[in-house]
């Protein structure tokens, strides 16, 4: 069971974890041992609440396909167990970040002092540029 929040849990049968060979350098051992992990999770056919599913489907993340399948590849560690834990943790963080409420932005106005300083600096620059004209003899 993967616990997302107090009320939301994912069963083991919903998460498909398969072993693959890790890519990249690593010598002879990397060619023999399948220690990397491919995690696949189907959003639409899961037991997540509808609110979670909707937010995940509207999330723009390259790990989520158009069909609603999350694919996470974990190969950071040398052991299969650590890579499994890493993939599950990343899935949990992705789901939690999708349902996290963003703070509403409150538009603010510039202060009178900042407006005055801006205009003063513009007039100073203008005076400096006005002195750069041709000099008549």
């Amino acid at each position: 069971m993967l616990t997302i929040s107090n009320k939301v849990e994912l069963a083991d049968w919903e998460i498909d974890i398969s072993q693959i060979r890790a890519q990249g350098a690593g010598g002879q051992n990397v060619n023999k041992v399948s220690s990397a992990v491919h995690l696949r999770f189907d959003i639409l056919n899961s037991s997540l609440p509808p609110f979670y599913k909707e937010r995940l489907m509207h999330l723009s993340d390259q790990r989520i396909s158009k069909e609603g399948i999350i694919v996470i590849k974990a190969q950071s560690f040398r052991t299969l167990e650590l890579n499994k834990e890493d993939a599950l943790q990343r899935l949990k963080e992705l789901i939690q970040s999708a349902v996290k409420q963003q703070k509403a932005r409150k538009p603010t106005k510039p202060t009178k002092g900042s407006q005055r300083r801006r205009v003063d600096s513009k007039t100073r620059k203008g005076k400096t540029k006005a002195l750069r004209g041709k000099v008549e003899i």
Side-chain angles (χ1 to χ4, degrees):
M1 294 289 271
L2 180 64
T3 305
I4 305 298
S5 67
N6 293 339
K7 298 180 181 179
V8 180
E9 290 184 342
L10 295 177
D12 292 336
W13 60 267
E14 295 183 83
I15 303 169
D16 180 35
I17 297 177
S18 57
Q19 300 174 8
I20 57 171
R21 287 195 181 146
Q23 292 177 328
Q28 295 173 346
N29 194 47
V30 78
N31 298 326
K32 297 186 294 184
V33 181
S34 298
S35 61
V37 169
H38 235 136
L39 181 142
R40 295 175 62 85
F41 176 71
D42 191 359
I43 298 169
L44 299 175
N45 295 327
S46 68
S47 64
L48 285 174
F51 172 72
Y52 280 66
K53 291 180 183 181
E54 184 179 325
R55 293 292 292 264
L56 276 169
M57 290 303 291
H58 290 296
L59 197 66
S60 60
D61 194 310
Q62 65 182 8
R63 297 173 288 186
I64 302 174
S65 68
K66 291 178 184 176
E67 295 81 29
I69 297 174
I70 299 175
V71 178
I72 296 176
K73 183 178 181 181
Q75 60 179 11
S76 302
F77 300 100
R78 292 179 63 141
T79 62
L80 182 67
E81 292 78 21
L82 288 176
N83 283 328
K84 278 184 185 179
E85 289 176 22
D86 182 41
L88 290 171
Q89 184 65 32
R90 285 167 38 195
L91 175 65
K92 180 179 177 179
E93 289 171 2
L94 177 66
I95 295 172
Q96 287 175 342
S97 69
V99 296
K100 187 176 181 181
Q101 291 290 332
Q102 296 292 326
K103 285 187 179 179
R105 184 188 178 279
K106 297 177 185 175
T108 57
K109 294 181 180 178
T111 62
K112 292 283 187 188
S114 69
Q115 289 177 345
R116 194 176 303 114
R117 286 189 297 272
R118 181 180 149 270
V119 173
D120 289 345
S121 70
K122 285 172 70 97
T123 54
R124 236 181 293 119
K125 289 265 190 197
K127 288 177 184 174
T128 305
K129 288 185 177 187
L131 295 172
R132 294 181 187 161
K134 286 188 177 181
V135 178
E136 293 188 20
I137 302 175

